Amino acid sequence: MSNSKSVQSVSAIVEVPVTSTIDLTNPTMIKLIEQGGTVVTVFLGCVFLYLLIELIKVAKDD
């Protein structure tokens, strides 16, 4: 006799409320906002450096 087991799939339903509120006093949210600000600052710094380098290239060509 063989032991054959039927495979049953299990699916979970997660309900997310449509009007979910963000608690800005939550320490986790504060940390995420701080990290997002850091990423934006680095991105803007890179854009500034790129534009500065392009400006220098254009000024040298004249």
Side-chain angles (χ1 to χ4, degrees):
M1 222 175 174
S2 66
N3 288 337
S4 63
K5 295 181 180 178
S6 63
V7 177
Q8 296 178 352
S9 64
V10 176
S11 62
I13 298 175
V14 178
E15 293 183 11
V16 178
V18 175
T19 57
S20 61
T21 58
I22 298 174
D23 183 16
L24 295 178
T25 59
N26 185 352
T28 304
M29 288 305 298
I30 293 172
K31 196 66 172 171
L32 285 173
I33 292 169
E34 287 174 356
Q35 289 174 352
T38 304
V39 169
V40 169
T41 303
V42 170
F43 175 75
L44 290 177
C46 291
V47 170
F48 175 75
L49 285 176
Y50 171 76
L51 292 174
L52 185 63
I53 290 170
E54 290 298 315
L55 178 66
I56 292 171
K57 286 180 184 177
V58 168
K60 281 185 175 182
D61 288 343
D62 287 343

